[in-house]
């Protein structure tokens, strides 16, 4: 390679060195100059491009520093071997899972994800822009291990208003997902602790506790939620539950059972209830169900919440509220864990809440999701008359018993024939899933458009009847 | 309360309802309307403000929804009790640790943090703004558990160029800190695994392994880094090291020791080296030290890096490179962990790297930190002639042996008298710290301004001689 097809523009905003640097880098990245190829000597190129040798030297130095060129003594500059890291262009074209799914399915009743059309991008962008502020030294420092004080203040205020959670800011720990919060608790509690989870329940809990090598017991439910007799029987210390909208069945734990549960927890030191209030923002009829935490008089409830359903699971922001008497021990044992959420994200969310955008967004989304749920319920009544909808009018999913004689696998397979993706309930059982194969499905409706829902259910009718 | 001192502005961008809502909310938050106080009736206020009852109704509804007002049937609207969540204004004024530190110290040789004046805020803000894009559905979905593909591509390219790390994108796992990556590995490896760490070493490692209840053995160093005889002697399976710039001593492991270490790892199945390349971006003289990972022929090295030193610890983005043969097992066992870094942050960083900003920032910072280190070294030579500087010309800290007869506590205390904060090396020892109290200090220079460094060291002279 002896010539370079570049015209240096002296009126460009970039210096000549920058222009040459950018040109060569692009050529190398695009594979237009091959590996190990020698590039022109500085003198030759300076002559060629009618600029000073210093200009060339600057660009070559930069490219050497960044690994694009290799300087060989008494020989010149050569293009480095970049093949080892694959052809970058090819990689970026790899289709992701969603694309594949879209090809196979016209409609997907996935439980994961949120409505894709009504996120307040404009406000989020504006606040983020304001937060990324040259004068804010916080943005370059390790923050409080339990999370940014401003965000924790906003969360405390929100929980107080909306969920009846009584807490001080010291009790709040911000993290990036329920799994990370639970890992902190596992390290906080004694290694001999016996944990219990709901069965059926959130599928990750079982995996998480097993992966952390602690004792875990799945306990059965009835139509009021977790049955309590297993707690004493299996010497449970800590139980994880979703009392306000059981996942996945959708039932609400009535006040009597709640009080019994709190009574169990108060019965012995070291007993705790982890209350996962994962979708409490969305309740479409009746009064909001107050949190267990707000009922608790003995500091036995650890409350957990997240912004995954209310904003976006892509934001990775969740939190827990520790009982007062656990704070000192938590701070002492675990304050070496940095808060995993970036300061920019924490400040942005704090501002978003302070300015009222979060409440307004929730109100809009509650209305929208209520309509989506209503559309789904109507469509089921219309097209699937034998199906029974279970659970409360809340959250972003419902469960349904199809009652057409098909088992779960058949229901899923026939729906797939019609390019509709539905989810069997048996995946949420920790053990003996085959006993549970009774034709129940979980249908998430958050990511679907309202006018798609009826069409999707009409296809399910075709599939199943 | 019967009157409201508000003038509704019909030419304002906000609706009348919004104006009233904002006014009342602010009044309540500021404590200008007391809890349980009754606010004017809708009719009365509509008359008063010369607007429709609907305007008032809209604002009151919103305030009730958000918990600021309580509607009592047949009685009216009352301000809710917000005291339970403390006086928000007071909380936000609580001084944070930095403020307190600034008051006690004029200069702080902290190792934590980065230069506070040269972060490319403008580029970061611009890219973030572009990333928060209405049409990008990724922003509302749970992403790949190992991290966003685009960012992993950028990291693979960077590691290849700058650190000689050979890897495919599948091998890269993005997370929010070394501690989270190590926890994944602890869950990946057998529970009986014997871990080893450097002593002295990064103080969090010991805490992390203990908190995860696995077997951990701190091993001594010599002037070439980790001494290897302890690995066989203590039946170590997995060792964490900082070969390119040992933390905190600053020594570089020579090639012979590296090959011996790789030989040890290849000697038995299940042996691994976790290479923490925490500050390799900053080397001020000589060639960059290639990574151990690049030397490894047997897939025995797990490479870890972070953007904490190169960008900001507030961003919470780190990564590891798994050996090929561990990927399947990792994906199978641990893909239920979501990547804790938000998609917005991952996309922003990926773009920042793709556009060359990261390399440019690194080059600028390498130059700046090189000058800061040089200023510190010169000041030590000038003011502390008996002190011995240890370790390589690299990273964002150096260690120094003061040699004035004082022990570490005395050095720290006398420096504090002069309002200079310095850090003893004994805190980085896992055990018997008192034996190590030989007057060695760690001085971080990243957060200090160049022209402060000489003044700070001059004060240390006053303190110690």
């Amino acid at each position: 390679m002896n010539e370079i097809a570049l015209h240096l523009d002296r009126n460009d905003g970039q210096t000549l060195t920058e222009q040459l640097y950018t040109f060569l880098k692009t050529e190398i990245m695009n594979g237009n100059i091959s590996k190990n190829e020698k590039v022109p000597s500085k003198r030759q190129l300076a002559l060629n491009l009618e600029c000073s040798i210093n200009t060339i030297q600057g660009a070559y130095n930069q490219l050497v520093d960044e690994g694009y060129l290799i300087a060989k003594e008494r020989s010149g500059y050569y293009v480095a071997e970049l093949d080892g890291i694959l052809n970058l262009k090819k990689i970026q074209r790899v289709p992701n899972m969603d694309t594949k799914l879209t090809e196979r399915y016209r409609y997907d009743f996935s439980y994961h994800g949120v409505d894709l059309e009504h996120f307040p991008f404009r406000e989020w962008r504006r606040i983020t822009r304001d937060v990324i502020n040259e004068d804010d030294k916080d943005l370059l420092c390790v923050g409080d291990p339990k999370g940014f004080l401003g965000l924790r203040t906003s969360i405390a205020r929100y929980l107080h208003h909306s969920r009846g959670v009584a807490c001080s800011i010291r009790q709040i720990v911000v993290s990036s997902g329920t799994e990370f919060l639970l890992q902190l608790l596992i390290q906080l509690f004694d290694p001999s602790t016996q944990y219990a989870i709901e069965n059926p329940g959130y599928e990750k809990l079982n995996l998480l506790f097993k992966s952390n090598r602690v004792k875990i017991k799945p306990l059965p439910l009835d139509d009021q939620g977790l049955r309590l007799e297993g707690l004493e029987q299996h010497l449970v210390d800590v139980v994880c539950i979703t009392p306000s909208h059981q996942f996945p069945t959708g039932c609400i734990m009535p006040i009597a059972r709640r009080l019994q549960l709190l009574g169990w927890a108060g019965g012995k030191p070291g007993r705790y209830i982890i209350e996962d209030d994962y979708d409490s923002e969305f309740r479409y009829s009746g009064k909001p169900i107050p949190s267990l935490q707000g009922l608790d008089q003995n500091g036995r409830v650890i409350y957990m919440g997240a912004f995954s359903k209310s904003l976006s699971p892509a934001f990775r922001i969740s939190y827990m509220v520790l009982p007062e008497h656990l704070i000192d021990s938590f701070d002492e044992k675990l304050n070496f864990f940095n808060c995993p959420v970036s300061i920019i994200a924490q400040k942005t969310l704090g501002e978003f809440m302070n300015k009222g955008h979060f409440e307004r967004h929730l109100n809009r989304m509650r209305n929208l999701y209520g309509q989506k749920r209503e559309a789904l319920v109507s469509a089921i009544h219309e097209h699937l008359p034998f199906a029974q909808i279970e659970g409360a009018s809340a959250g972003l999913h419902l469960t349904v018993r199809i009652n057409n004689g098909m088992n779960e696998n058949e229901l899923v397979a026939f729906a797939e024939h019609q390019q509709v993706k539905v989810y069997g309930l048996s995946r949420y059982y920790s053990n003996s899933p085959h006993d549970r194969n009774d034709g129940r499905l979980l249908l998430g409706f958050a990511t679907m458009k309202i006018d798609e829902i009826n069409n999707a259910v009409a296809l399910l009718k075709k599939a199943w009847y």
Side-chain angles (χ1 to χ4, degrees), chain A residues 138-176:
Chain A
D138 287 348
L139 301 189
L140 299 175
C141 297
V142 183
D144 189 313
K146 282 155 74 181
F148 174 62
L149 201 66
L151 174 60
R152 287 156 69 201
T153 307
S154 307
I155 291 173
R157 192 190 307 153
Y158 166 71
L159 289 178
H160 179 76
H161 289 176
S162 72
R163 302 296 300 131
V165 168
C167 69
S168 73
I169 290 157
R170 282 186 74 219
Q171 291 172 260
I172 294 185
V173 180
V174 173
S175 188
S176 61

Side-chain angles (χ1 to χ4, degrees), chain A residues 142 145 184 187 330-339:
Chain A
V142 183
L184 291 173
Q187 292 176 40
F330 185 92
D331 289 347
E332 187 191 325
K333 284 188 188 172
L334 297 168
N335 81 348
F336 70 88
F337 277 101
N338 287 315
C339 175

Side-chain angles (χ1 to χ4, degrees), chain A residues 133-138:
Chain A
N133 170 3
E134 276 77 354
D135 297 329
D136 185 353
K137 303 295 182 218
D138 287 348

Side-chain angles (χ1 to χ4, degrees), chain A residues 111 245 248-250 373 376-377 380 388-392 394-400 425 441-445:
Chain A
Y111 171 65
H245 189 227
T249 66
R373 188 180 192 279
L376 179 57
V377 168
I380 291 172
Q388 270 176 286
I389 294 168
E390 300 176 337
L396 306 183
H397 75 280
L398 52 77
T399 59
V400 60
L425 218 64
L441 301 174
L442 177 146
L443 303 180
F445 49 78

Side-chain angles (χ1 to χ4, degrees), chain A residues 70-111:
Chain A
I70 291 166
K72 294 189 184 172
E73 220 167 325
R74 271 186 265 276
S75 165
Y77 293 85
Y78 294 80
V79 175
E81 290 195 37
L82 306 179
D83 298 358
I85 53 157
L86 315 172
N87 184 322
L88 300 166
K89 284 200 168 170
K90 272 188 200 146
I91 292 159
Q92 282 161 345
R93 283 206 211 100
V94 168
N96 63 22
M97 291 306 292
D98 292 341
T99 323
K100 280 187 206 150
L101 205 64
T102 318
E103 286 162 12
R104 271 171 64 201
Y105 296 103
R106 286 175 62 188
Y107 303 110
D108 184 356
F109 282 103
S110 168
Y111 171 65

